[in-house]
Amino acid sequence: MTSARLKRVEESATIRISNIATRMIKEGTDVINFSLGEPDFDTPKNICDAAAKAMYEGKTHYAPSAGIPELRAAIAEKLRTENSLDVTEKDVLVTPGAKQGIFEIMMGALDDGDQAILFDPAWVTYDACIRFAGADTVWVPTVPEKGFLPDNFAEYINDKTKLIVVNSPGNPTGGVFGKKTLQCIADLAIDHDLLVVSDEIYEKIIYDREHISIGSFDGMQERTITVNGFSKAYAMTGWRLGYLTAPPEIFKLLQKIQSHSVSSATTFVQYGGLEALQGPQDGVKAMVDRFKMRRDILIDGLNKIGLECKKPDGAFYAFANVSEYGNGTEVAERLLKEAHVAVTPGIAFGASGEDFIRISYATSIDRIREALDRLEKIFS
Ligand code: PMP
């Protein structure tokens, strides 16, 4: 009586842990929640004002399914100037969050029995969406010592392979792919006629490195779907606003999925997005500076306690090796029970994450210091 396809998909482990933490907090326990995938900052006021103004002006009706023209044009301009992608407004689909964009891409690109390549560890939703589409994930191991970069992975490609997902800066490791790695991926994609899905949601949360869009490489425009959104850069997770750009053939399919499922992103929310792109950008820099300070305090503290962790170059996650104390799941359970610190077991993101925990440092410096004190008591 139920869908076999959905039985292939598991509940999101990241959400499960954060639900337990939320329940404990409600019951009065002082839990430090390091499991969340969202900035703890509020959305900048100018963005809220723009959306509220739009709402009061009556921008409360259905929007065109692909997005309001002003926002599509502003996104296209951003993709041209910041990401060197050769796109116009008609190539931009505004989605209710990057996550919905990824769901639509997997549905639009994959058939039953197809294969999609993920670099292990990878954000949980990619595998779920690949399975929703009836396809299979091929996990390519990465090398922790090399910043979780994929090594040669040509052997994982076969005639069922349809696409490769690139996520830089990445969740859960905070790793950033450099030009050389991206070029290797691009070369393989071109040689084997594959699509590349480039999830660039953490593009602005990057420390002393340059973000590079794989879609700007020679020969990649026609095979790259670039996904991005407002959640992380502008602290707009609850607004549900993202976007993608794709080659025309698949773009049409994605539009079809969107129009028959969610219709469009919320109309007045899109005016908030327009202000995010066109208004002052100093809030983004201030947020990234704060994240960087927190990263440095957290990573130095972890290494002092003996939890080995390299400084990630992007996003707001630390991926710490806890193998000295058990596997990631055992350690995460112990931390929640004994220290009231919620982290996510690395295994949630793929087999390579078994010995790791993911710590989201989207939390104040005071709470980070308090968590380090609690961790020290457990691990000393
Ligand atoms: N991609 C990655 C890698 C993420 O970590 C997340 C959020 N956790 C998303 C996409 C989802 O973004 P959005 O809020 O725009 O759906």
Side-chain angles (χ1 to χ4, degrees):
M1 299 265 276
T2 55
S3 150
R5 181 168 284 177
L6 281 185
K7 287 197 190 110
R8 294 165 25 102
V9 180
E10 287 179 19
E11 184 196 357
S12 163
T14 51
I15 290 177
R16 194 169 61 227
I17 298 273
S18 93
N19 284 349
I20 299 175
T22 312
R23 201 184 56 226
M24 286 172 69
I25 292 167
K26 262 200 194 134
E27 288 164 2
T29 312
D30 177 25
V31 175
I32 299 177
N33 199 349
F34 276 156
S35 71
L36 292 176
E38 66 171 334
D40 53 319
F41 305 104
D42 288 330
T43 307
K45 185 172 177 305
N46 61 311
I47 299 174
C48 297
D49 287 345
K53 182 166 174 277
M55 195 193 304
Y56 286 117
E57 282 176 357
K59 305 286 193 324
T60 53
H61 299 270
Y62 285 131
S65 179
I68 58 169
E70 304 92 305
L71 182 58
R72 292 177 80 193
I75 292 167
E77 166 79 16
K78 181 245 175 260
L79 292 172
R80 281 193 300 269
T81 53
E82 292 184 4
N83 306 95
S84 306
L85 301 182
D86 183 15
V87 295
T88 65
E89 144 185 5
K90 68 171 180 18
D91 305 308
V92 173
L93 183 65
V94 178
T95 58
K99 193 181 253 188
Q100 172 70 17
I102 288 157
F103 177 80
E104 291 172 7
I105 292 164
M106 298 310 177
M107 288 297 173
L110 298 171
D111 279 318
D112 283 343
D114 282 344
Q115 294 185 357
I117 287 186
L118 292 185
F119 300 125
D120 185 355
W123 181 46
V124 291
T125 290
Y126 305 128
D127 176 55
C129 290
I130 291 163
R131 287 161 178 264
F132 275 141
D136 295 307
T137 298
V138 174
W139 293 94
V140 170
T142 56
V143 189
E145 296 74 31
K146 290 190 187 163
F148 294 95
L149 291 181
D151 242 357
N152 184 6
F153 63 96
E155 63 189 283
Y156 292 87
I157 299 174
N158 60 46
D159 56 4
K160 289 185 177 162
T161 315
K162 272 273 191 68
L163 63 83
I164 305 172
V165 176
V166 173
N167 174 216
S168 171
N171 179 4
T173 68
V176 171
F177 287 13
K179 207 171 189 166
K180 231 169 94 188
T181 306
L182 291 172
Q183 189 62 61
C184 287
I185 297 170
D187 290 345
L188 282 173
I190 292 168
D191 285 353
H192 297 272
D193 194 19
L194 305 176
L195 278 170
V196 169
V197 177
S198 182
D199 178 353
E200 306 187 4
I201 191 105
Y202 293 102
E203 122 192 85
K204 305 256 180 203
I205 304 175
I206 189 162
Y207 316 108
D208 311 319
R209 291 280 301 266
E210 186 201 358
H211 170 72
I212 308 171
S213 293
I214 192 168
S216 67
F217 286 39
D218 278 351
M220 288 304 289
Q221 172 97 13
E222 64 259 38
R223 60 179 68 257
T224 306
I225 307 176
T226 304
V227 197
N228 206 327
F230 295 81
S231 286
K232 316 286 170 170
Y234 300 101
M236 289 174 68
T237 48
W239 294 62
R240 312 310 305 126
L241 191 64
Y243 55 89
L244 60 85
T245 179
E249 197 189 342
I250 183 153
F251 187 86
K252 273 191 226 135
L253 301 183
L254 305 186
Q255 257 190 306
K256 195 165 24 170
I257 300 166
Q258 177 147 306
S259 72
H260 284 305
S261 53
V262 292
S263 289
S264 73
T266 302
T267 310
F268 51 85
V269 158
Q270 296 191 47
Y271 288 90
L274 187 61
E275 172 62 20
L277 290 181
Q278 295 183 334
Q281 299 295 307
D282 43 335
V284 182
K285 189 182 173 305
M287 186 174 71
V288 175
D289 288 348
R290 297 262 286 280
F291 276 140
K292 191 175 176 195
M293 264 166 68
R294 296 166 175 189
R295 176 198 68 164
D296 292 348
I297 292 167
L298 175 68
I299 305 296
D300 291 348
L302 289 175
N303 284 316
K304 264 190 210 134
I305 295 169
L307 294 179
E308 189 196 315
C309 188
K310 282 196 163 182
K311 261 188 194 163
D313 289 325
F316 39 72
Y317 306 107
F319 210 54
N321 188 329
V322 293
S323 53
E324 221 181 290
Y325 303 97
N327 67 35
T329 308
E330 289 159 358
V331 170
E333 276 170 15
R334 197 169 153 208
L335 288 182
L336 191 54
K337 264 196 217 134
E338 296 176 27
H340 300 157
V341 172
V343 299
T344 310
I347 192 87
F349 306 96
S352 306
E354 185 172 4
D355 289 338
F356 292 79
I357 54 172
R358 188 194 73 171
I359 304 172
S360 162
Y361 51 88
T363 313
S364 72
I365 287 180
D366 283 352
R367 294 298 271 171
I368 291 172
R369 290 195 202 280
E370 162 74 23
L372 285 168
D373 285 347
R374 293 189 195 178
L375 260 58
E376 194 172 4
K377 283 187 195 119
I378 292 223
F379 292 124
S380 59

